[in-house]
Amino acid sequence: MAGSAVTADRGDLAEGALLVVGDVVTDVVARHRGPLAAGTDTVAAVRTVPGGAGANVACWAVYDGCAEVRLLGRVGVDSAAWHERELAASGVRPLLVTDPQAPTGTVICLVDTGASAERTFLTDSGASLRLAPGDWSPALLDGVARLHLSGYLFFSEPSRALVSVVLESTRARGVPVSLDPASAGFLTELGVDRFLELCAGVDVLLPSRDEACLLTGLPDPADAAAKLSRLFPLVVAKLGSDGALVARSGSVRARVPALPATPRDTTGAGDAFTGAFLAALLAGAEPEEAATAGCAAGAKAVERVGGRPPAGSRRLHEGETRVH
């Protein structure tokens, strides 16, 4: 439906769903080795895959066993049908708004295939940051046990206004909210104080090492996580190959180790952590246990190209029977 939110039939939705509100983009992943050769060719393996931090989180939550995950996002006419099919194939219920003016966002992911598999993003957010209050309805929270916000929503005026409306709705319903800040570069442009002001009411903050340090001005991620946990009830700092920190009430309560992995592409590793973490929380896990599940998903993610898991639930891939 152009320019307006798709309202799902909620009569058949189970209680306890995860609703993700965030970005859906097309990733063009170029895997190269060593420095880029300026002014000439650099040999690379190039793939086009579905992505977006919000969409990736939703898919990983399904993969890690979350029984029902819905995603509200905005895409262009150019690839709306493809993105909807890809999300549905991963078990996510897409609630996509089709933008009649802007194309789907595109991210060029330059991935060095050396030992670190480090990546650099070139981002054209397109329709994803045009998600706006008119795309929201409080009815989207029917049957929702937890809502997750992609931090990319904070980096345009329409989607910031949407965040405000969403947080008002979740407060009225008593639905807990988690947030991944998404990008240290965009945070710098927005300003730390402005970001923290907009985050008021968030229950769980899931920053990366760089984001936690930027938000606090502290160089040590443990100190940064502890400080942030005075502002948010629960902070889980994602440290990549160093695992994760769980902080509450001004102190670090747990240090969760990373699992060994051979990186191919680190794109979406933080999204994988977040999706698995939220799936575990919804299943009743304590934050420390949920962070362990997050680290396992992050290790699996870096061994794949692109930001999504294999289609379907991990339980199905492991030969288990999924119960709805």
Side-chain angles (χ1 to χ4, degrees):
M1 183 182 300
S4 61
V6 177
T7 302
D9 175 10
R10 285 159 179 70
D12 60 345
L13 298 185
E15 294 294 317
L18 170 66
L19 173 60
V20 179
V21 182
D23 48 318
V24 181
V25 305
T26 300
D27 284 343
V28 180
V29 182
R31 301 177 69 243
H32 61 95
R33 180 172 291 276
L36 296 173
T40 185
D41 295 326
T42 299
V43 175
V46 181
R47 287 181 56 192
T48 300
V49 294
N56 293 344
V57 166
C59 292
W60 280 100
V62 171
Y63 185 77
D64 258 60
C66 193
E68 186 186 347
V69 182
R70 312 172 199 169
L71 173 69
L72 176 64
R74 193 174 182 99
V75 294
V77 176
D78 55 316
S79 59
W82 178 61
H83 278 290
E84 186 163 294
R85 285 195 305 270
E86 291 293 324
L87 288 164
S90 292
V92 174
R93 184 161 188 167
L95 306 173
L96 299 184
V97 179
T98 301
D99 194 306
Q101 297 177 319
T104 300
T106 301
V107 176
I108 308 297
C109 310
L110 304 176
V111 182
D112 188 335
T113 58
S116 67
E118 197 49 71
R119 76 274 193 267
T120 301
F121 295 151
L122 303 175
T123 302
D124 178 355
S125 298
S128 64
L129 293 191
R130 288 164 56 89
L131 201 62
D135 301 323
W136 176 256
S137 165
L140 290 167
L141 291 175
D142 291 351
V144 168
R146 178 172 290 278
L147 183 140
H148 177 72
L149 293 170
S150 168
Y152 283 107
L153 295 171
F154 288 75
F155 306 128
S156 79
E157 190 54 47
S159 54
R160 280 195 294 271
L162 170 72
V163 167
S164 177
V165 171
V166 170
L167 289 175
E168 182 180 348
S169 291
T170 55
R171 280 193 294 269
R173 294 281 193 105
V175 174
V177 178
S178 56
L179 167 66
D180 186 328
S183 168
F186 281 149
L187 276 176
T188 300
E189 293 179 21
L190 177 65
V192 167
D193 291 343
R194 178 69 173 136
F195 178 79
L196 292 175
E197 176 188 343
L198 291 166
C199 288
V202 167
D203 301 275
V204 182
L205 187 72
L206 295 132
S208 68
R209 181 200 310 267
D210 290 346
E211 293 154 5
C213 293
L214 175 62
L215 288 170
T216 59
L218 299 174
D220 181 82
D223 293 340
K227 183 174 180 179
L228 285 170
S229 72
R230 298 188 186 100
L231 302 175
F232 302 91
L234 176 63
V235 173
V236 181
K238 300 176 286 188
L239 308 182
S241 61
D242 291 326
L245 300 170
V246 179
R248 285 177 288 191
S249 303
S251 65
V252 172
R253 302 301 180 90
R255 296 172 181 264
V256 179
L259 272 65
T262 302
R264 294 184 66 211
D265 176 9
T266 56
T267 303
D271 303 332
F273 180 105
T274 297
F277 176 86
L278 295 175
L281 278 190
L282 277 167
E286 293 296 321
E288 293 79 4
E289 183 184 356
T292 299
C295 285
K300 190 167 302 212
V302 300
E303 295 185 329
R304 294 178 53 78
V305 174
R308 301 272 180 93
S313 167
R314 181 182 65 179
R315 296 176 183 176
L316 296 179
H317 283 273
E318 294 174 351
E320 298 179 15
T321 301
R322 185 170 175 181
V323 178
H324 291 275

